[in-house]
Structure formats: structure tokens, C-alpha cells
Amino acid sequence: MTTRILIADDHPIVLAGIRDVLAGELDLEIVGEAADPATLIELMTRTRPQAVITDYSMPGGDHFGDGIKLISFLRRSFPDTRLLVLTMVSNPSLVAAMYAAGAGGVVLKSHGLGKLVQALRVVLADRAYRPPGLLPLAAGEPADADAVRARLSPRELEVIRLFTGGMSVGDIARQLQRSAKTVSTQKISAMRKLGVESDQALIEYCLQASLFA
């Protein structure tokens, strides 16, 4: 008896890599591939797979969303399907949020796909798979607003507040009467201090920490 697997990623090379990794597993069958959240959900409704391997961040998620929102939606709508998330995000707070939203396992793309089959089998056994080498949150350092504010300078915090509120770097520069280069440098510095690697990860980190609630 084969186990039905759906895979989703907006990068064809990643989909090809997943196919190659799973090709030698005779009991695993890929029943569909998606490059955006809408296609993934349509395929899940039609094929009812036992597990989904999905990218954390995919474009075209205007209706269903992506990231934490998509994971939560999949978990609510398909509670019997195991979710394995692929991501470039290595921030412990965001990874913890993925598990809280319903991911059964997280595989870091920076580690390659070598652990994918192991992670998938752990998830299919209804156990949680954690990526090796992921640093946990330091003791006494919860992802709360006070802890986050303590890491940032007042100017970095101001830039991040405006950015997560929907303003572009150029808009922020004009409002604060600074150069775009200065604002960009402050934003990058804040992201480095918070351990996030993309704009989406930054926004979701701030949401998880209720930084500007």
C-alpha cells in the first residue's frame, strides 16, 4: 500500500529535488504538485493525500495566504493530513509558530533535502520532526514585545514599525527625512538582530511578538 504525498513549492528546481529524493521510496507516491497556495488546496481537496510537503512562503496566496496563515488553514481544513514545511526561515520563534499553527515537521532548506525522507516518515508516524541544529530560544528570552524592543535601537524600532505597517523603504525615508540608504541599513540591522532573513519573516516575527499591537 502506497502513501499519497502532495508537494508544493514555487521553485521548479526545488520540486525536482523533492521528486528525486522521494523517487527511491517505493511506498511513497507523489499524487500532485503545486506552485501556489490555491493550487495546493485544490489538489488536497481532490486527492486527499496522507501528507503534504510544502514551502513556507509561496506567491499567489492572496486568498488563502501563505506562511503561518496557510499552515493554519491546512491544519483546520485537512486535519488528517500530515504537514511537513520546507523553509529558509531559521528564526526559532517563527519555527515555533509553524509548529503551533499545525506543522508536524520543519525542514530547513539551508540544510538541503537530505533529511526529507526521514522527516516525512517521522511526520507520517504522527510524531513531530525538528530540524537538527536549530537553536532554541534562549532561556528567559520569549518572543515578546519587551524582549524584541530591547534588541533594537530606537531608530531601528521606528523603521520596523513603519515597514510592518505597510510603508516601503522609500516612503519611510521621506517621512523620517533620512536617506533611503540609511533606512535600508537600519532595517537590515534590525533583521540581523532578530534573526530573520526575509521581509515576510520580519513581519510575521513582529506579529508573533505583538510588537506593535
Side-chain angles (χ1 to χ4, degrees), residues 4-207:
R4 299 186 310 281
I5 310 294
L6 268 180
I7 61 177
D9 197 289
D10 60 304
H11 295 97
I13 192 170
V14 176
L15 289 176
I18 298 172
R19 286 197 301 269
D20 288 345
V21 169
L22 298 184
E25 308 298 318
L26 299 181
D27 60 328
L28 303 178
E29 177 188 5
I30 297 175
V31 296
E33 300 180 12
D36 59 77
T39 302
L40 171 60
I41 291 164
E42 188 274 326
L43 286 171
M44 289 185 71
T45 302
R46 182 152 49 87
T47 65
R48 294 287 169 173
Q50 278 102 337
V52 169
I53 302 172
T54 180
D55 190 9
Y56 175 71
S57 177
M58 292 185 290
D62 297 339
H63 182 65
F64 297 104
D66 70 345
I68 299 297
K69 184 178 179 182
L70 178 62
I71 295 170
S72 298
F73 179 86
L74 295 177
R75 189 59 177 166
R76 291 194 311 271
S77 302
F78 307 95
D80 295 329
T81 300
R82 307 302 176 207
L83 301 178
L84 184 60
V85 179
L86 300 177
T87 181
M88 291 297 294
V89 175
S90 59
N91 181 279
S93 296
L94 281 177
V95 173
M98 295 178 205
Y99 287 105
V106 175
V107 173
L108 302 182
K109 288 184 177 181
S110 58
H111 291 174
L113 298 178
K115 297 285 187 180
L116 189 61
V117 172
Q118 176 189 351
L120 180 59
R121 295 201 181 278
V122 169
V123 168
L124 286 169
D126 202 19
R127 303 195 309 271
Y129 175 85
R130 292 192 62 82
L134 181 68
L135 294 176
L137 286 170
E141 188 188 19
D144 61 22
D146 289 339
V148 173
R149 289 191 187 99
R151 300 183 206 172
L152 305 178
S153 73
R155 289 195 170 190
E156 289 168 347
L157 190 63
E158 186 177 32
V159 167
I160 295 305
R161 177 180 66 80
L162 295 173
F163 181 77
T164 56
M167 295 179 68
S168 69
V169 168
D171 292 336
I172 297 169
R174 283 187 289 273
Q175 176 162 323
L176 300 181
Q177 297 184 330
R178 302 174 196 164
S179 71
K181 182 178 180 181
T182 296
V183 170
S184 178
T185 298
Q186 290 166 341
K187 173 174 167 284
I188 291 170
S189 175
M191 292 173 68
R192 184 173 61 250
K193 290 179 181 179
L194 298 179
V196 296
E197 300 173 354
S198 69
D199 290 348
Q200 180 185 350
L202 172 63
I203 292 168
E204 293 190 357
Y205 186 98
C206 292
L207 287 174

